[in-house]
Amino acid sequence: MRLDELGEFGFIARVADFVGEPRGAVVVGIGDDAAVLKTSGEGHLLVTTDAFVEGRHFRREWLSAEQIGTRAACAAISDIAAMGGEALAVFVSLGLPGGEEAAFGEQLMRGIHNVATEYDASLAGGDTFASPSGICLDVVVVGQVDRPWLRSAARPGDILLVSGTLGEAAAAFHLLDSGAAPHAEGLPTALHNRFVRPTPQLALAQALAELAAPPAAIDISDGLAQDAGHIAERSEVALTIEADCVPLSPACYEVAAELGADPVLWALTSGEEYELLLAMPSAHAEQAVAQAQQVGVVLTRIGSVKAGSGVTVLGSDGSPIEFERGGWNHFAPQ
Ligand code: ADP
Ligand code: MG
């Protein structure tokens, strides 16, 4: 079967199949935002890796070298936040065409270093090679957590919460893609921040570390509807999202109106938002909302968990919304 028929997740499932259950120190392997490893102490180590390829994950004409690095580091660290953890160290494999200015590579690495430093993590190693075409990088982040937040932890009766607002990444992308903004520098401030320096929700993870039980969690990197599907699958439950409850960014409304698009559809399917989707018992929600507020993060209830499977997104009239695409899938025809 061809990859563009199997899809990214079909391929990963095949690999997960022959790898089987994790062994030895690995407690959670393929299938969550990061792998979870036992240590000799009480805590767990977290390891995540994310690739960024020119023309696929970013366009060079939209970003400076430093911004390419900043964005990649934030995206990679976000997976540590999605596990409820804190970042410790960052490793970068970087491929650049030999004809590139050294200063370009240096600026890119500075972008990564600055983000790592901001989150008290160190850029601790990597690999450098000549790329036959374009810029490519892979960012590995090692983190730690006492009680990991797993995609598999959602239970029937839980409620779904999302951090912040959604839709800015889509709005930024469409402004750039339509040519309305020729470079990230031309984006309105909120969109610029989301596109160039999305916030990994590490502060939220720390703020909720003392909840009576760790929530189920995933970061929204491929689109809310699709990422919700990963929680549904790993937890073997059904998720219902009420589209009317999903908090949209004001900038998402504005840009969608400007470009004649549906802002709600953007918010439901926009990847690279890096907000967290959480599932937890409703009895924990009040405390979670209050603790999030203390670190300046708004948590909004957007749905619920039931017995069953899959994700249903209900529109204003209470009937399910059908999606052509619930989010990003590598290999799928875009
Ligand atoms: P995320 O969006 O959180 O980075 P992905 O959707 O990229 O997660 O990946 C889903 C899961 O599949 C993760 O646990 C990831 O580590 C794993 N995975 C992806 N590609 C591979 C691969 N080639 N080999 C092994 N595991 C993989
Ligand atoms: Mg993730």
Side-chain angles (χ1 to χ4, degrees):
M1 186 186 274
R2 284 167 51 120
L3 283 166
D4 52 11
E5 292 161 350
L6 184 61
E8 174 191 358
F9 300 106
F11 176 77
I12 295 171
R14 284 192 179 188
V15 177
D17 224 38
F18 65 69
V19 170
E21 290 302 310
R23 282 173 294 275
V26 180
V27 184
V28 179
I30 296 171
D32 218 307
D33 292 286
V36 180
L37 278 70
K38 267 192 299 214
T39 63
S40 54
E42 279 190 9
H44 297 86
L45 280 176
L46 301 169
V47 184
T48 173
T49 177
D50 280 288
F52 304 88
V53 175
E54 181 180 350
R56 192 62 179 178
H57 298 88
F58 62 89
R59 292 195 210 163
R60 189 168 174 163
E61 45 302 1
W62 293 354
L63 294 164
S64 70
E66 184 169 348
Q67 287 170 339
I68 293 169
T70 301
R71 201 163 176 264
C74 291
I77 291 174
S78 174
D79 277 324
I80 298 294
M83 302 301 290
E86 60 185 304
L88 298 176
V90 176
F91 301 81
V92 180
S93 293
L94 177 64
L96 292 170
E100 196 59 69
E101 287 294 327
F104 183 93
E106 205 178 314
Q107 284 303 317
L108 191 157
M109 291 305 303
R110 259 183 212 287
I112 295 177
H113 164 68
N114 289 341
V115 171
T117 307
E118 210 172 311
Y119 294 111
D120 295 325
S122 301
L123 176 58
D127 196 15
T128 302
F129 56 97
S131 162
S133 72
I135 307 156
C136 46
L137 59 156
D138 185 74
V139 182
V140 172
V141 187
V142 176
Q144 69 179 2
V145 67
D146 286 341
R147 301 183 309 168
W149 295 2
L150 304 181
R151 293 178 180 181
S152 58
R155 297 290 171 263
D158 282 1
I159 61 165
L160 294 175
L161 298 163
V162 73
S163 65
T165 59
L166 298 177
E168 283 175 356
F173 171 82
H174 288 288
L175 278 181
L176 291 163
D177 195 46
S178 67
H183 190 277
E185 285 314 301
L187 292 170
T189 311
L191 301 188
H192 179 276
N193 292 345
R194 178 82 64 156
F195 193 74
V196 174
R197 208 216 163 288
T199 307
Q201 293 293 347
L202 292 167
L204 176 61
Q206 294 317 301
L208 303 189
E210 302 303 325
L211 284 180
I218 188 168
D219 65 331
I220 301 170
S221 59
D222 292 336
L224 173 64
Q226 180 170 301
D227 288 322
H230 295 307
I231 289 190
E233 199 181 324
R234 297 278 292 179
S235 297
E236 300 181 14
V237 292
L239 266 50
T240 304
I241 294 172
E242 292 160 47
D244 280 354
C245 298
V246 174
L248 268 66
S249 142
C252 171
Y253 281 114
E254 280 164 34
V255 176
E258 207 176 298
L259 300 180
D262 177 355
V264 177
L265 194 63
W266 276 2
L268 292 171
T269 59
S270 169
E272 299 178 333
E273 297 283 342
Y274 302 111
E275 297 295 350
L276 296 188
L277 172 65
L278 306 171
M280 66 179 73
S282 56
H284 301 170
E286 200 178 321
Q287 188 192 352
V289 169
Q291 283 171 340
Q293 212 154 30
Q294 284 180 10
V295 292
V297 176
V298 175
L299 287 182
T300 307
R301 182 191 180 283
I302 61 162
S304 55
V305 181
K306 297 186 182 65
S309 64
V311 177
T312 307
V313 183
L314 299 176
S316 307
D317 61 357
S319 59
I321 300 177
E322 300 295 334
F323 294 96
E324 246 173 77
R325 266 163 44 99
W328 183 262
N329 183 334
H330 282 278
F331 303 126
Q334 303 304 329

